[in-house]
């Protein structure tokens, strides 16, 4: 089994670049024993020359003709026509400073041509600041800046349009003269709104990226050269800072690489030295406090952070010079400045290393104390990224040398394909540069093939002998041979941890699992009592209520056939109750900020029950699984700590998830919600006072609501949420208004949602009507519909029952999944 996550360090570019030219490098560097050794390449320039020669003899780009093809930039509109495409166009966005156009054009053109030769397709965005300043001085116009942005009154805008058109054509003409086809795009890519007319004049803030012209260029094998001018929706021309323009385009196009080409070959610090590496997650706040970070530098850092926050973790921004651009693709350490979002590395020796989160990462149900014991007994060191999405375990070699054996990789195919595995490996390599590991060459299947390909990419070399492939880093072949025997016979002590682990799991499969319920007397608790009572695989063994302690449960639920008495369960006695009553799972239907001491008391148990917490206490905790079955089913099956989503949050999250996954959202969606007063709980308050609610709707907590933060966190995209309480008892209606990054049709959106939830019986899609609260009350389903569209403005209406799909129903789905029962047991009879 392979399993992983990610991390990024200063050498982050080398792996991406090596991947881009893997076939050429492999043919150049293959040695005996099927070994690849990058250390044998004599120098970067000679390597580049060899590859260029290889390309000229054996072209890497094959031309094919495709009818009715579709070219897509991820979040942006598709461009469709009958076109010729190269077999694999990986886009590199190149932002060119005005000084480069003036002084380094030849080197720039050679580098852009080289990108095309090796199958990387450049989109060029250019500035022209120095040239514009010269023209303004000649016209006796001032060159003014505020916070790094050029003040652009009408007279300056007129000069800017002329200068940018001229500089654009310089690049286009130079590319055409070199044999590379190019097209000028001086407008039509950026739609913007005036930023602050009183301060900046005609300066724009980008609202929308229009990709038709770019797609047309790329489809015809033309390099698009884009000026940093925008237009409002009514046609007014606006100036945009070229750095901002390039990074806004990158958010939409999602290129393989982002390269800023300037004359300084990087970003300089306060002493005038080029900074080789900037990790924003670690350095941004401190950098922004530095006295030398001001004006254009401050603007760059802000925009770099905004851009990388919206792109995959593996994306980086490189700042380099035209002369170094070609070698940038092949250098292990890179040149200039690399800017990355970053993700710090944790290891099992650190106090902040969380064994519970690590257990959730590798899919084991073992108690954290057991996981820690297994790791320590095996004498392995675990390295993971701070988000616990990828990791590896290493141990000492028998020789006692600095060489380390990789005991186990925790890698998934998604981590490999989005290159997050590269980041963890590089960061581990910085601590332990000499690693060795093996795989069985005969392993079959797509995932095994992906992993083996990745091993070959990150290793310094590899050798295949008698059905076993050995990989290593930073060692000579003689030294490798000393360690092959130990590595080949290595059996991981961590194999007992994983999906099939039975160490200290609460219970084996049996006729009925015994369930405890905290908060049994509340509205949600009442529904859980009812659902459990009709569940063939669950038995309600404990129902806790501090107000009804000692009374028969039938005093609250007279239709229930049970002799059970309400119990008084506290943090002090919950562990004893769990053991004495053989509890396999607890539903925790408690108010917010109450459940933590109960969880802490259960953590000491050797056999861990499943916990489904219906409060918000653990929805931001990575060691708990977010319990949205429709989007997180596999993780829930492996989980023992499940954070049930909020009622409003369920509706907003499931309504917006397909748009986020399709890359269609543009801006921040606004979600207007009204809930029945049962959502305020059974304890009297101003939000469930029926007299106050009569003929009334009560708004509350209109900014920074828990559900606003919850959905933003889980989607990875911000939302606005405005909750209200209505005069009806139960149910929720949500009206969600959002801008998309392109125009869509009702049919297209309907198809997207039907496809997203095609196999989800509790999610109904009804585009033909506006769902109403009363039609979804007392039902286990959530209904999404009422799709209303004008251009790129979409409105969605969603309804659900806040006590069922928003609480009890979903909690039961999660318990069923964790206990390996049918997800809809106890529910399906009422559908």
């Amino acid at each position: 089994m392979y399993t992983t996550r990610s991390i990024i360090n200063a050498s982050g570019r080398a792996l991406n670049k090596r991947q881009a030219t893997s076939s050429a490098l492999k043919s150049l560097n293959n040695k005996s024993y099927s070994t690849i050794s990058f250390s044998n390449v004599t120098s970067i320039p000679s390597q580049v020359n060899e590859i260029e020669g290889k390309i000229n003899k054996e072209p890497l780009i094959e031309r094919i003709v495709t009818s009715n093809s579709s070219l897509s930039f991820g979040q942006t509109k598709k461009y469709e026509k009958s076109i010729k495409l190269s077999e694999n166009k990986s886009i590199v966005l190149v932002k060119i400073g005005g000084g480069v156009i003036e002084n380094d054009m030849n080197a720039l053109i050679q580098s852009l041509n080289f990108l095309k030769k090796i199958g990387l397709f450049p989109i060029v965005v250019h500035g022209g600041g120095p040239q514009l300043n010269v023209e303004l001085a000649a016209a006796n116009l001032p060159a003014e800046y505020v916070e790094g942005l050029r003040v652009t009154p009408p007279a300056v805008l007129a000069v800017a349009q002329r200068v940018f058109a001229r500089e654009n054509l310089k690049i286009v003409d130079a590319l055409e003269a070199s044999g590379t086809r190019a097209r000028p795009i001086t407008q039509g890519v950026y739609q913007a709104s005036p930023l602050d007319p009183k301060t900046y004049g005609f300066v724009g803030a980008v609202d929308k990226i229009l990709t038709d012209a770019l797609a047309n260029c790329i489809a015809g094998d033309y390099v698009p050269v884009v000026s940093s001018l925008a237009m409002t929706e009514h046609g007014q021309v606006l100036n945009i800072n070229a750095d901002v323009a390039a990074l806004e385009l990158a958010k939409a196009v999602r290129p393989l690489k982002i390269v800023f080409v300037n004359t300084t070959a990087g970003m300089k610090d306060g002493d005038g030295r080029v900074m080789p590496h900037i990790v924003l997650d670690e350095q941004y706040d401190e950098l922004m406090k530095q006295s030398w970070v001001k004006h254009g530098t401050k603007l760059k850092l802000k925009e770099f952070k905004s851009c990388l926050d919206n792109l995959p973790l593996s994306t980086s921004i490189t700042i380099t010079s035209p002369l170094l651009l070609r070698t940038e693709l092949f250098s292990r350490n890179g040149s200039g400045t690399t800017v990355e979002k970053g993700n710090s590395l944790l290891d099992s020796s650190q106090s902040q290393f969380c064994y519970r989160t690590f257990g959730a990462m590798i899919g084991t149900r073992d108690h954290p104390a057991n996981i820690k014991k297994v790791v320590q007994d095996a004498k392995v060191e675990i390295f993971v990224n701070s988000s616990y999405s990828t990791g590896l375990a290493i141990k000492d070699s028998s020789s006692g040398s600095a060489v380390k054996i990789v005991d186990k990789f925790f890698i998934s195919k998604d981590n490999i394909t989005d290159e997050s595995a590269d980041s963890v490996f590089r960061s581990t390599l910085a601590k332990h540069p000499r690693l060795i590991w093996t795989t069985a060459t005969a392993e079959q299947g797509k995932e095994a093939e992906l992993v083996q390909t990745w091993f070959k990419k990150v290793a310094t070399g590899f050798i295949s002998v008698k059905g076993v492939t050995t990989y290593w880093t930073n060692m000579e072949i003689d030294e490798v041979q000393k360690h092959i025997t130990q590595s080949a016979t290595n059996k991981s002590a961590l194999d007992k941890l994983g999906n099939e682990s039975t160490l200290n799991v609460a219970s084996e499969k049996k006729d009925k699992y015994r369930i405890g319920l905290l908060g049994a007397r509340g509205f949600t608790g009442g529904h859980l009592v009812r659902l459990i009572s009709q569940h063939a695989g669950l038995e309600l063994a404990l129902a806790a209520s501090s107000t009804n302690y000692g009374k028969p449960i039938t005093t609250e639920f007279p239709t229930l056939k049970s002799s059970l008495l309400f119990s008084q369960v506290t943090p002090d006695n919950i562990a004893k109750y769990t053991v004495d009553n053989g509890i396999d799972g607890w539903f925790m239907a408690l108010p917010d900020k109450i459940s933590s001491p109960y969880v802490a008391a259960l953590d000491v148990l050797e056999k861990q029950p499943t916990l489904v917490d219906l409060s918000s206490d653990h929805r931001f905790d990575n060691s708990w699984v977010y319990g949205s079955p429709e989007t997180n089913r596999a993780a829930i099956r492996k989980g023992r700590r499940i954070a049930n989503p909020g009622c409003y949050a369920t509706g907003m999250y499931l309504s917006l998830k397909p748009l986020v996954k399709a890359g269609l959202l543009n801006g921040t969606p606004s979600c207007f919600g009204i809930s029945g007063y049962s959502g305020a709980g059974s304890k009297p308050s101003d939000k469930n006072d029926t007299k106050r609610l009569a003929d009334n709707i009560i708004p509350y907590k209109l900014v920074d609501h828990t559900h606003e933060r919850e959905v933003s966190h889980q989607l990875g995209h911000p939302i606005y949420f405005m909750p209200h309480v209505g005069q009806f008892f139960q149910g929720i209606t949500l009206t969600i208004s959002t801008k998309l990054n392109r125009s869509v049709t009702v049919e297209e959106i309907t198809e997207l949602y039907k496809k997203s939830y095609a196999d989800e019986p509790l999610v109904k899609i009804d585009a033909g009507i506006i769902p109403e609260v009363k039609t979804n009350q007392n039902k286990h389903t959530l209904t999404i519909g009422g799709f209303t569209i004008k251009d790129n403005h979409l409105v969605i209406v969603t309804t659900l029952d806040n006590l069922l799909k928003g609480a009890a129903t979903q909690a039961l789905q999660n318990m069923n999944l964790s206990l390996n029962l049918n997800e809809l047991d106890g529910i399906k009879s009422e559908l």
Side-chain angles (χ1 to χ4, degrees), residues 43 125 168 196 258 349 413 586 625 638 700 789 791:
S43 67
V125 179
N168 185 294
D196 180 356
I258 305 168
S349 66
K413 63 180 181 181
W586 281 99
V625 178
K638 301 174 185 177
Y700 68 100
I789 297 171
D791 298 326

Side-chain angles (χ1 to χ4, degrees), residues 20-21 55 60-61 86 88-92 113-122 256:
T21 58
I55 291 166
L60 293 176
I61 304 175
S86 62
N88 180 22
K89 283 185 176 174
S90 296
I91 292 172
V92 177
N113 285 339
F114 186 70
L115 290 178
K116 282 208 69 188
K117 283 182 180 179
I118 63 171
L120 300 175
F121 200 94
L256 177 68

Side-chain angles (χ1 to χ4, degrees), residues 399-673:
S399 67
S401 68
V403 176
K404 301 288 184 179
I405 307 293
V406 180
D407 185 77
K408 199 173 187 68
F409 286 92
F410 306 109
I411 307 170
S412 72
K413 63 180 181 181
D414 291 336
N415 299 137
I416 290 175
T417 55
D418 71 8
E419 298 181 351
S420 60
D422 295 356
S423 305
V424 171
F425 189 82
R426 293 195 301 268
S427 296
T428 305
L429 210 59
K431 292 177 176 288
H432 300 287
R434 299 159 75 192
L435 300 176
I436 188 169
W437 66 99
T438 61
T439 62
T441 308
E443 287 191 41
Q444 300 295 318
K446 289 184 178 180
E447 186 166 355
E449 184 179 344
L450 275 172
V451 170
Q452 289 164 9
T453 300
W454 182 74
F455 284 164
K456 292 175 183 178
K457 183 181 75 169
V458 298
T460 304
F462 66 92
I463 181 172
S464 296
V465 178
K466 296 181 179 179
V468 174
T469 302
T470 302
Y471 305 85
W472 65 87
T473 60
N474 301 308
M475 287 186 281
E476 298 298 329
I477 188 67
D478 292 343
E479 188 177 12
V480 170
Q481 289 174 336
K482 297 177 184 177
H483 298 276
I484 284 180
T485 303
Q486 183 190 358
S487 179
T489 58
N490 176 48
K491 299 294 184 182
S492 175
L494 302 182
D495 286 341
K496 66 179 68 175
L497 299 174
N499 295 343
E500 303 305 319
S501 175
T502 57
L503 267 179
N504 296 322
V505 174
S507 60
E508 299 300 322
K509 179 71 174 124
K510 51 189 177 183
D511 291 339
K512 285 198 174 187
Y513 289 98
R514 294 175 62 79
I515 300 299
L517 172 57
L518 299 177
R521 184 176 172 274
F523 295 138
T524 299
H527 280 289
L528 282 169
V529 169
R530 178 178 58 80
L531 292 173
I532 294 170
S533 71
Q534 62 191 31
H535 194 303
L538 300 183
E539 174 187 359
L540 185 61
L542 271 174
S545 170
S546 57
T547 57
N548 281 8
Y549 166 57
K551 295 180 182 179
I553 194 171
T554 51
T555 57
E556 286 290 332
F557 311 108
T559 60
L560 190 66
K561 295 180 180 180
S562 174
S563 59
L564 195 66
L565 302 180
F566 282 111
S567 301
Q568 188 171 33
V569 180
T570 68
D572 292 333
N573 64 25
I574 189 171
K576 187 176 189 306
Y577 267 117
T578 300
V579 174
D580 291 349
N581 291 274
I583 300 298
D584 299 299
W586 281 99
F587 288 111
M588 308 176 79
L590 299 169
D592 290 348
K593 300 180 181 179
I594 299 293
S595 67
S596 291
Y598 289 91
V599 175
L602 291 169
D603 276 344
V604 303
L605 293 180
E606 186 177 0
K607 293 185 177 180
Q608 289 286 293
T610 290
L611 303 184
V612 178
D613 185 2
L614 285 87
S615 76
S616 66
D617 292 7
H618 298 98
R619 294 173 191 158
F620 302 89
D621 185 342
N622 287 337
S623 68
W624 286 62
V625 178
Y626 191 61
S628 173
E630 288 77 15
T631 63
N632 209 21
R633 189 168 281 115
I636 297 167
R637 289 187 195 278
K638 301 174 185 177
R640 282 281 170 180
R641 298 287 189 272
I642 300 163
N644 213 62
C647 52
Y648 271 125
T650 297
M652 293 186 287
Y653 178 72
L654 293 178
S655 296
L656 291 168
K657 182 67 173 179
L659 299 177
V660 172
K661 191 173 181 180
L664 284 171
L665 279 186
N666 181 25
T668 305
S670 292
C671 307
F672 176 93

Side-chain angles (χ1 to χ4, degrees), residues 8-262:
I8 300 174
N9 77 351
S11 62
R13 292 164 293 173
L15 297 172
N16 289 340
K17 296 156 202 164
R18 200 186 311 150
Q19 182 185 31
T21 58
S22 60
S23 59
L25 285 172
K26 186 173 181 180
S27 62
L28 286 171
N29 296 310
N30 272 350
K31 307 298 179 185
S32 58
Y33 309 109
S34 303
T35 301
I36 297 178
S37 177
F38 291 100
S39 60
N40 292 336
V41 179
T42 55
S43 67
I44 293 300
S46 64
Q47 183 175 318
V48 172
N49 291 334
E50 284 187 75
I51 294 173
E52 283 189 307
K54 194 78 176 173
I55 291 166
N56 292 331
K57 294 177 183 177
E58 300 176 15
L60 293 176
I61 304 175
E62 295 181 5
R63 307 294 298 171
I64 60 172
V65 178
T66 306
S67 299
N68 299 319
S69 294
S70 173
L71 187 65
S72 172
F73 294 110
Q75 294 186 359
T76 57
K77 183 177 179 180
K78 290 184 178 179
Y79 181 85
E80 297 183 355
K81 61 180 287 186
S82 294
I83 53 178
K84 286 185 177 182
L85 295 175
S86 62
E87 190 170 15
N88 180 22
K89 283 185 176 174
S90 296
I91 292 172
V92 177
L93 192 143
V94 183
K95 186 269 171 178
I96 301 171
V100 172
I101 303 172
E102 195 72 21
N103 302 310
D104 290 316
M105 182 69 85
N106 286 339
L108 172 67
I109 299 304
Q110 289 175 16
S111 293
L112 292 176
N113 285 339
F114 186 70
L115 290 178
K116 282 208 69 188
K117 283 182 180 179
I118 63 171
L120 300 175
F121 200 94
I123 293 177
V124 175
V125 179
H126 71 88
Q131 295 89 330
L132 179 55
N133 287 339
V134 170
E135 293 284 338
L136 293 177
N140 293 317
L141 293 171
E144 299 179 83
Y145 296 86
V146 176
E147 293 296 319
L149 294 176
R150 183 186 294 275
V151 178
T152 311
V156 173
L157 181 63
V159 177
Q161 290 183 75
R162 184 176 70 251
V163 169
F164 291 164
R166 183 187 69 209
E167 300 306 306
N168 185 294
L169 287 173
K170 283 183 183 178
I171 301 170
V172 171
D173 288 346
L175 283 169
E176 290 276 350
S178 72
T180 296
R181 299 196 298 177
R183 280 182 178 171
I185 304 179
T186 55
Q187 288 183 15
V189 171
Y190 302 101
Q191 183 175 304
S193 301
L195 180 61
D196 180 356
K198 290 183 179 179
T199 302
Y200 296 106
F202 289 93
V203 173
V206 176
D207 297 326
K208 188 177 182 180
I209 301 295
L210 306 170
T211 60
D212 282 2
L214 295 175
N216 187 289
C217 285
I218 296 172
D221 207 34
Y222 291 89
V223 173
V225 181
V226 183
S227 296
S228 55
L229 290 172
M231 296 182 73
T232 68
E233 60 181 342
H234 302 297
Q236 170 62 52
V237 177
L238 298 172
N239 183 25
I240 309 176
N241 176 275
D243 292 343
V244 174
L247 294 168
E248 288 293 330
L249 183 56
K251 291 179 190 178
V253 173
R254 303 173 77 83
L256 177 68
K257 287 188 69 68
I258 305 168
V259 181
F260 276 52
V261 184
N262 61 23

Side-chain angles (χ1 to χ4, degrees), residues 337-354:
T337 303
T338 296
V339 184
E340 295 170 322
K341 179 175 172 57
N343 198 341
S344 57
L345 188 72
L346 296 173
D347 68 72
S348 50
S349 66
Q350 296 173 305
S351 60
Q352 61 265 44
F353 185 88
C354 179

